[in-house]
Amino acid sequence: MNTYIYMIRHGESPKTEGNDSTRGLTEKGKVDANKVTELLKEEGLNIFISSPYRRAVLTIEELAHLSGKEVIIYEDLKELLFSNEDKIIPDQELYPAVQKMFSDRNFSLQGGESVTDCQKRSVVVLKEILTEFKGQKIALGTHGAVMTLMMGYFDSDYDYEFLMKTSKPDIFRLELKDEQLIEVRRIWTE
């Protein structure tokens, strides 16, 4: 029996308020979260899991509630930690650092984690999810880098170039048999 994981990258989020873990969605992000719900409401999703970051939860929360379910939070599904402070890093600083991190997988910013460390922590949780919810259809509220790293665990084609082609939000349906990736299909259309 195959398991389906719908990797749902969060919608657009303001980089002007709060900190990295608490920032919500912009108006466009909220509209797009409604589109995520519309796109997936007939998919038969029965488990809803998310990063603890507010923007990821908000992107799948309506879909979960429509299904009569709560969102289960997994701390180790949070985004790649860029620093030991929960601060917002401007894109002009962040993207060059992310590119370097993907090319030198053990590089990290001061106080942050490497992509190797992020992949290890997130894949441990992903394997737990695959075991606990085997044969289910799972919505997973996530972020760009950690999503790419989890997908990259199964197939190295999911790399920095892939990450840079994704959108906010984005949806990829992974079909897995145990821990073997069978197929990935992009569902989000802009």
Side-chain angles (χ1 to χ4, degrees):
M1 181 177 286
N2 293 349
T3 303
Y4 295 87
I5 295 184
Y6 291 71
M7 294 279 189
I8 304 168
R9 185 180 186 190
H10 65 81
E12 183 181 271
S13 181
K15 288 201 165 191
T16 56
E17 64 179 49
N19 54 40
D20 198 44
S21 63
T22 62
R23 60 189 169 103
L25 297 173
T26 63
E27 286 307 312
K28 179 185 182 315
K30 291 173 187 174
V31 168
D32 286 342
N34 291 333
K35 290 179 186 175
V36 167
T37 299
E38 287 302 310
L39 270 173
L40 298 179
K41 70 181 182 183
E42 303 298 327
E43 290 289 317
L45 296 163
N46 41 19
I47 306 294
F48 299 85
I49 294 171
S50 181
S51 152
Y53 288 11
R54 188 165 176 252
R55 60 193 181 274
V57 174
L58 289 172
T59 302
I60 69 166
E61 192 170 54
E62 180 185 354
L63 181 62
H65 291 158
L66 187 65
S67 302
K69 306 282 184 168
E70 294 296 318
V71 177
I72 303 165
I73 303 297
Y74 282 78
E75 182 67 28
D76 280 341
L77 292 177
K78 64 188 168 201
E79 180 59 299
L80 174 65
L81 296 175
F82 298 105
S83 76
N84 59 356
E85 298 173 29
D86 189 16
K87 66 178 184 176
I88 298 171
I89 301 173
D91 289 346
Q92 63 269 21
E93 291 175 37
L94 184 63
Y95 289 122
V98 170
Q99 183 174 16
K100 183 172 182 179
M101 294 168 90
F102 271 83
S103 64
D104 177 357
R105 297 182 64 84
N106 293 311
F107 171 78
S108 63
L109 296 173
Q110 181 72 33
E113 69 182 336
S114 68
V115 295
T116 298
D117 291 337
C118 179
Q119 186 177 54
K120 283 179 186 174
R121 93 165 136 78
S122 60
V123 168
V124 165
V125 175
L126 187 60
K127 287 180 177 185
E128 290 172 10
I129 291 167
L130 287 170
T131 300
E132 184 173 349
F133 302 110
K134 184 176 183 174
Q136 304 289 314
K137 289 186 172 182
I138 303 156
L140 200 158
T142 191
H143 309 271
V146 72
M147 174 185 77
T148 300
L149 293 169
M150 286 187 285
M151 293 170 71
Y153 171 78
F154 298 106
D155 183 340
S156 62
D157 285 345
Y158 298 102
D159 57 10
Y160 177 77
E161 286 74 28
F162 166 79
L163 170 61
M164 297 315 293
K165 291 176 186 171
T166 63
S167 61
K168 292 178 188 175
D170 217 329
I171 307 170
F172 295 90
R173 186 187 79 174
L174 283 61
E175 179 180 358
L176 298 114
K177 182 175 178 73
D178 298 317
E179 288 185 20
Q180 179 185 357
L181 182 63
I182 306 296
E183 178 185 58
V184 175
R185 183 167 65 97
R186 186 176 191 211
I187 293 178
W188 181 257
T189 54
E190 297 183 56

PDB file of all heavy atoms in Angstrom, residues 148-169:
ATOM      1  N   THR A 148      12.808  20.834  -0.079  1.00  0.00           N
ATOM      2  CA  THR A 148      13.781  20.405  -1.092  1.00  0.00           C
ATOM      3  C   THR A 148      14.730  19.370  -0.517  1.00  0.00           C
ATOM      4  O   THR A 148      15.050  18.373  -1.177  1.00  0.00           O
ATOM      5  CB  THR A 148      14.560  21.629  -1.624  1.00  0.00           C
ATOM      6  OG1 THR A 148      13.624  22.548  -2.205  1.00  0.00           O
ATOM      7  CG2 THR A 148      15.596  21.227  -2.653  1.00  0.00           C
ATOM      8  N   LEU A 149      15.170  19.566   0.708  1.00  0.00           N
ATOM      9  CA  LEU A 149      16.095  18.612   1.340  1.00  0.00           C
ATOM     10  C   LEU A 149      15.429  17.269   1.614  1.00  0.00           C
ATOM     11  O   LEU A 149      16.047  16.212   1.435  1.00  0.00           O
ATOM     12  CB  LEU A 149      16.685  19.209   2.613  1.00  0.00           C
ATOM     13  CG  LEU A 149      17.602  20.399   2.374  1.00  0.00           C
ATOM     14  CD1 LEU A 149      17.930  21.106   3.689  1.00  0.00           C
ATOM     15  CD2 LEU A 149      18.867  19.991   1.640  1.00  0.00           C
ATOM     16  N   MET A 150      14.163  17.284   2.035  1.00  0.00           N
ATOM     17  CA  MET A 150      13.462  16.011   2.245  1.00  0.00           C
ATOM     18  C   MET A 150      13.268  15.280   0.923  1.00  0.00           C
ATOM     19  O   MET A 150      13.502  14.073   0.834  1.00  0.00           O
ATOM     20  CB  MET A 150      12.108  16.241   2.936  1.00  0.00           C
ATOM     21  CG  MET A 150      12.231  16.590   4.410  1.00  0.00           C
ATOM     22  SD  MET A 150      10.631  16.661   5.275  1.00  0.00           S
ATOM     23  CE  MET A 150       9.968  18.234   4.689  1.00  0.00           C
ATOM     24  N   MET A 151      12.883  16.002  -0.109  1.00  0.00           N
ATOM     25  CA  MET A 151      12.713  15.382  -1.421  1.00  0.00           C
ATOM     26  C   MET A 151      14.060  14.925  -1.968  1.00  0.00           C
ATOM     27  O   MET A 151      14.172  13.863  -2.582  1.00  0.00           O
ATOM     28  CB  MET A 151      12.014  16.355  -2.375  1.00  0.00           C
ATOM     29  CG  MET A 151      10.572  16.631  -1.972  1.00  0.00           C
ATOM     30  SD  MET A 151       9.783  17.983  -2.893  1.00  0.00           S
ATOM     31  CE  MET A 151       9.583  17.233  -4.518  1.00  0.00           C
ATOM     32  N   GLY A 152      15.100  15.725  -1.719  1.00  0.00           N
ATOM     33  CA  GLY A 152      16.447  15.389  -2.171  1.00  0.00           C
ATOM     34  C   GLY A 152      17.018  14.145  -1.515  1.00  0.00           C
ATOM     35  O   GLY A 152      17.918  13.510  -2.062  1.00  0.00           O
ATOM     36  N   TYR A 153      16.502  13.773  -0.359  1.00  0.00           N
ATOM     37  CA  TYR A 153      16.923  12.532   0.288  1.00  0.00           C
ATOM     38  C   TYR A 153      16.588  11.338  -0.603  1.00  0.00           C
ATOM     39  O   TYR A 153      17.340  10.368  -0.675  1.00  0.00           O
ATOM     40  CB  TYR A 153      16.231  12.390   1.648  1.00  0.00           C
ATOM     41  CG  TYR A 153      16.434  11.038   2.280  1.00  0.00           C
ATOM     42  CD1 TYR A 153      17.627  10.717   2.916  1.00  0.00           C
ATOM     43  CD2 TYR A 153      15.437  10.064   2.233  1.00  0.00           C
ATOM     44  CE1 TYR A 153      17.828   9.466   3.492  1.00  0.00           C
ATOM     45  CE2 TYR A 153      15.626   8.819   2.810  1.00  0.00           C
ATOM     46  CZ  TYR A 153      16.818   8.521   3.431  1.00  0.00           C
ATOM     47  OH  TYR A 153      17.008   7.285   3.992  1.00  0.00           O
ATOM     48  N   PHE A 154      15.464  11.410  -1.297  1.00  0.00           N
ATOM     49  CA  PHE A 154      15.017  10.322  -2.160  1.00  0.00           C
ATOM     50  C   PHE A 154      15.582  10.416  -3.578  1.00  0.00           C
ATOM     51  O   PHE A 154      15.737   9.409  -4.248  1.00  0.00           O
ATOM     52  CB  PHE A 154      13.489  10.301  -2.245  1.00  0.00           C
ATOM     53  CG  PHE A 154      12.826  10.069  -0.914  1.00  0.00           C
ATOM     54  CD1 PHE A 154      12.208  11.103  -0.250  1.00  0.00           C
ATOM     55  CD2 PHE A 154      12.829   8.811  -0.338  1.00  0.00           C
ATOM     56  CE1 PHE A 154      11.598  10.897   0.979  1.00  0.00           C
ATOM     57  CE2 PHE A 154      12.220   8.592   0.895  1.00  0.00           C
ATOM     58  CZ  PHE A 154      11.602   9.636   1.552  1.00  0.00           C
ATOM     59  N   ASP A 155      15.861  11.639  -4.033  1.00  0.00           N
ATOM     60  CA  ASP A 155      16.311  11.848  -5.409  1.00  0.00           C
ATOM     61  C   ASP A 155      17.147  13.133  -5.453  1.00  0.00           C
ATOM     62  O   ASP A 155      16.632  14.224  -5.194  1.00  0.00           O
ATOM     63  CB  ASP A 155      15.101  11.953  -6.335  1.00  0.00           C
ATOM     64  CG  ASP A 155      15.458  12.098  -7.810  1.00  0.00           C
ATOM     65  OD1 ASP A 155      16.594  12.500  -8.138  1.00  0.00           O
ATOM     66  OD2 ASP A 155      14.579  11.831  -8.642  1.00  0.00           O
ATOM     67  N   SER A 156      18.409  13.006  -5.815  1.00  0.00           N
ATOM     68  CA  SER A 156      19.335  14.149  -5.799  1.00  0.00           C
ATOM     69  C   SER A 156      18.991  15.226  -6.829  1.00  0.00           C
ATOM     70  O   SER A 156      19.578  16.311  -6.806  1.00  0.00           O
ATOM     71  CB  SER A 156      20.773  13.669  -6.004  1.00  0.00           C
ATOM     72  OG  SER A 156      20.899  13.046  -7.268  1.00  0.00           O
ATOM     73  N   ASP A 157      18.036  14.972  -7.718  1.00  0.00           N
ATOM     74  CA  ASP A 157      17.606  16.012  -8.653  1.00  0.00           C
ATOM     75  C   ASP A 157      16.887  17.154  -7.936  1.00  0.00           C
ATOM     76  O   ASP A 157      16.735  18.240  -8.487  1.00  0.00           O
ATOM     77  CB  ASP A 157      16.683  15.441  -9.730  1.00  0.00           C
ATOM     78  CG  ASP A 157      17.443  14.631 -10.767  1.00  0.00           C
ATOM     79  OD1 ASP A 157      18.689  14.734 -10.826  1.00  0.00           O
ATOM     80  OD2 ASP A 157      16.784  13.885 -11.522  1.00  0.00           O
ATOM     81  N   TYR A 158      16.444  16.903  -6.713  1.00  0.00           N
ATOM     82  CA  TYR A 158      15.811  17.949  -5.922  1.00  0.00           C
ATOM     83  C   TYR A 158      16.912  18.672  -5.171  1.00  0.00           C
ATOM     84  O   TYR A 158      17.362  18.242  -4.122  1.00  0.00           O
ATOM     85  CB  TYR A 158      14.726  17.356  -5.005  1.00  0.00           C
ATOM     86  CG  TYR A 158      13.639  16.725  -5.838  1.00  0.00           C
ATOM     87  CD1 TYR A 158      13.574  15.348  -5.998  1.00  0.00           C
ATOM     88  CD2 TYR A 158      12.737  17.521  -6.530  1.00  0.00           C
ATOM     89  CE1 TYR A 158      12.613  14.774  -6.811  1.00  0.00           C
ATOM     90  CE2 TYR A 158      11.773  16.955  -7.349  1.00  0.00           C
ATOM     91  CZ  TYR A 158      11.716  15.583  -7.478  1.00  0.00           C
ATOM     92  OH  TYR A 158      10.769  15.017  -8.301  1.00  0.00           O
ATOM     93  N   ASP A 159      17.364  19.782  -5.783  1.00  0.00           N
ATOM     94  CA  ASP A 159      18.547  20.502  -5.330  1.00  0.00           C
ATOM     95  C   ASP A 159      18.274  22.006  -5.352  1.00  0.00           C
ATOM     96  O   ASP A 159      17.120  22.429  -5.448  1.00  0.00           O
ATOM     97  CB  ASP A 159      19.740  20.132  -6.214  1.00  0.00           C
ATOM     98  CG  ASP A 159      19.487  20.404  -7.705  1.00  0.00           C
ATOM     99  OD1 ASP A 159      18.460  21.049  -8.063  1.00  0.00           O
ATOM    100  OD2 ASP A 159      20.317  19.975  -8.528  1.00  0.00           O
ATOM    101  N   TYR A 160      19.321  22.794  -5.272  1.00  0.00           N
ATOM    102  CA  TYR A 160      19.180  24.244  -5.244  1.00  0.00           C
ATOM    103  C   TYR A 160      18.419  24.771  -6.463  1.00  0.00           C
ATOM    104  O   TYR A 160      17.546  25.638  -6.331  1.00  0.00           O
ATOM    105  CB  TYR A 160      20.559  24.909  -5.146  1.00  0.00           C
ATOM    106  CG  TYR A 160      20.492  26.411  -5.186  1.00  0.00           C
ATOM    107  CD1 TYR A 160      20.095  27.132  -4.068  1.00  0.00           C
ATOM    108  CD2 TYR A 160      20.806  27.114  -6.351  1.00  0.00           C
ATOM    109  CE1 TYR A 160      20.004  28.518  -4.105  1.00  0.00           C
ATOM    110  CE2 TYR A 160      20.715  28.496  -6.395  1.00  0.00           C
ATOM    111  CZ  TYR A 160      20.311  29.197  -5.274  1.00  0.00           C
ATOM    112  OH  TYR A 160      20.210  30.560  -5.313  1.00  0.00           O
ATOM    113  N   GLU A 161      18.732  24.246  -7.639  1.00  0.00           N
ATOM    114  CA  GLU A 161      18.054  24.710  -8.861  1.00  0.00           C
ATOM    115  C   GLU A 161      16.558  24.416  -8.781  1.00  0.00           C
ATOM    116  O   GLU A 161      15.727  25.229  -9.181  1.00  0.00           O
ATOM    117  CB  GLU A 161      18.661  24.077 -10.111  1.00  0.00           C
ATOM    118  CG  GLU A 161      20.021  24.634 -10.494  1.00  0.00           C
ATOM    119  CD  GLU A 161      21.162  24.167  -9.583  1.00  0.00           C
ATOM    120  OE1 GLU A 161      21.070  23.062  -9.001  1.00  0.00           O
ATOM    121  OE2 GLU A 161      22.138  24.926  -9.432  1.00  0.00           O
ATOM    122  N   PHE A 162      16.213  23.248  -8.268  1.00  0.00           N
ATOM    123  CA  PHE A 162      14.798  22.905  -8.069  1.00  0.00           C
ATOM    124  C   PHE A 162      14.152  23.909  -7.111  1.00  0.00           C
ATOM    125  O   PHE A 162      13.078  24.453  -7.388  1.00  0.00           O
ATOM    126  CB  PHE A 162      14.661  21.480  -7.515  1.00  0.00           C
ATOM    127  CG  PHE A 162      13.300  21.179  -6.968  1.00  0.00           C
ATOM    128  CD1 PHE A 162      12.244  20.863  -7.816  1.00  0.00           C
ATOM    129  CD2 PHE A 162      13.059  21.225  -5.596  1.00  0.00           C
ATOM    130  CE1 PHE A 162      10.975  20.605  -7.308  1.00  0.00           C
ATOM    131  CE2 PHE A 162      11.796  20.963  -5.080  1.00  0.00           C
ATOM    132  CZ  PHE A 162      10.747  20.655  -5.944  1.00  0.00           C
ATOM    133  N   LEU A 163      14.801  24.149  -5.972  1.00  0.00           N
ATOM    134  CA  LEU A 163      14.280  25.082  -4.975  1.00  0.00           C
ATOM    135  C   LEU A 163      13.976  26.437  -5.601  1.00  0.00           C
ATOM    136  O   LEU A 163      12.925  27.023  -5.360  1.00  0.00           O
ATOM    137  CB  LEU A 163      15.280  25.239  -3.816  1.00  0.00           C
ATOM    138  CG  LEU A 163      15.010  26.350  -2.810  1.00  0.00           C
ATOM    139  CD1 LEU A 163      13.669  26.156  -2.105  1.00  0.00           C
ATOM    140  CD2 LEU A 163      16.149  26.441  -1.799  1.00  0.00           C
ATOM    141  N   MET A 164      14.885  26.935  -6.417  1.00  0.00           N
ATOM    142  CA  MET A 164      14.723  28.264  -6.992  1.00  0.00           C
ATOM    143  C   MET A 164      13.603  28.319  -8.038  1.00  0.00           C
ATOM    144  O   MET A 164      13.154  29.403  -8.410  1.00  0.00           O
ATOM    145  CB  MET A 164      16.047  28.756  -7.588  1.00  0.00           C
ATOM    146  CG  MET A 164      17.155  28.914  -6.538  1.00  0.00           C
ATOM    147  SD  MET A 164      16.648  29.751  -4.996  1.00  0.00           S
ATOM    148  CE  MET A 164      16.308  31.392  -5.576  1.00  0.00           C
ATOM    149  N   LYS A 165      13.123  27.181  -8.494  1.00  0.00           N
ATOM    150  CA  LYS A 165      12.016  27.140  -9.455  1.00  0.00           C
ATOM    151  C   LYS A 165      10.658  26.962  -8.769  1.00  0.00           C
ATOM    152  O   LYS A 165       9.629  26.998  -9.431  1.00  0.00           O
ATOM    153  CB  LYS A 165      12.232  26.000 -10.458  1.00  0.00           C
ATOM    154  CG  LYS A 165      13.394  26.245 -11.389  1.00  0.00           C
ATOM    155  CD  LYS A 165      13.609  25.044 -12.288  1.00  0.00           C
ATOM    156  CE  LYS A 165      14.862  25.243 -13.122  1.00  0.00           C
ATOM    157  NZ  LYS A 165      15.222  24.019 -13.857  1.00  0.00           N
ATOM    158  N   THR A 166      10.670  26.758  -7.451  1.00  0.00           N
ATOM    159  CA  THR A 166       9.406  26.582  -6.753  1.00  0.00           C
ATOM    160  C   THR A 166       8.769  27.940  -6.468  1.00  0.00           C
ATOM    161  O   THR A 166       9.427  28.979  -6.575  1.00  0.00           O
ATOM    162  CB  THR A 166       9.592  25.801  -5.431  1.00  0.00           C
ATOM    163  OG1 THR A 166      10.419  26.545  -4.546  1.00  0.00           O
ATOM    164  CG2 THR A 166      10.184  24.423  -5.678  1.00  0.00           C
ATOM    165  N   SER A 167       7.511  27.908  -6.107  1.00  0.00           N
ATOM    166  CA  SER A 167       6.782  29.143  -5.826  1.00  0.00           C
ATOM    167  C   SER A 167       6.227  29.099  -4.409  1.00  0.00           C
ATOM    168  O   SER A 167       6.320  28.080  -3.724  1.00  0.00           O
ATOM    169  CB  SER A 167       5.634  29.294  -6.842  1.00  0.00           C
ATOM    170  OG  SER A 167       4.734  28.208  -6.733  1.00  0.00           O
ATOM    171  N   LYS A 168       5.652  30.223  -3.994  1.00  0.00           N
ATOM    172  CA  LYS A 168       5.002  30.319  -2.688  1.00  0.00           C
ATOM    173  C   LYS A 168       3.548  30.688  -2.939  1.00  0.00           C
ATOM    174  O   LYS A 168       3.285  31.808  -3.374  1.00  0.00           O
ATOM    175  CB  LYS A 168       5.664  31.396  -1.821  1.00  0.00           C
ATOM    176  CG  LYS A 168       7.051  31.084  -1.377  1.00  0.00           C
ATOM    177  CD  LYS A 168       7.608  32.247  -0.564  1.00  0.00           C
ATOM    178  CE  LYS A 168       9.088  32.037  -0.280  1.00  0.00           C
ATOM    179  NZ  LYS A 168       9.674  33.196   0.386  1.00  0.00           N
ATOM    180  N   PRO A 169       2.623  29.764  -2.732  1.00  0.00           N
ATOM    181  CA  PRO A 169       2.815  28.391  -2.279  1.00  0.00           C
ATOM    182  C   PRO A 169       3.205  27.487  -3.442  1.00  0.00           C
ATOM    183  O   PRO A 169       3.267  27.925  -4.591  1.00  0.00           O
ATOM    184  CB  PRO A 169       1.434  28.005  -1.742  1.00  0.00           C
ATOM    185  CG  PRO A 169       0.486  28.773  -2.611  1.00  0.00           C
ATOM    186  CD  PRO A 169       1.193  30.082  -2.906  1.00  0.00           C
TER     187      PRO A 169
END
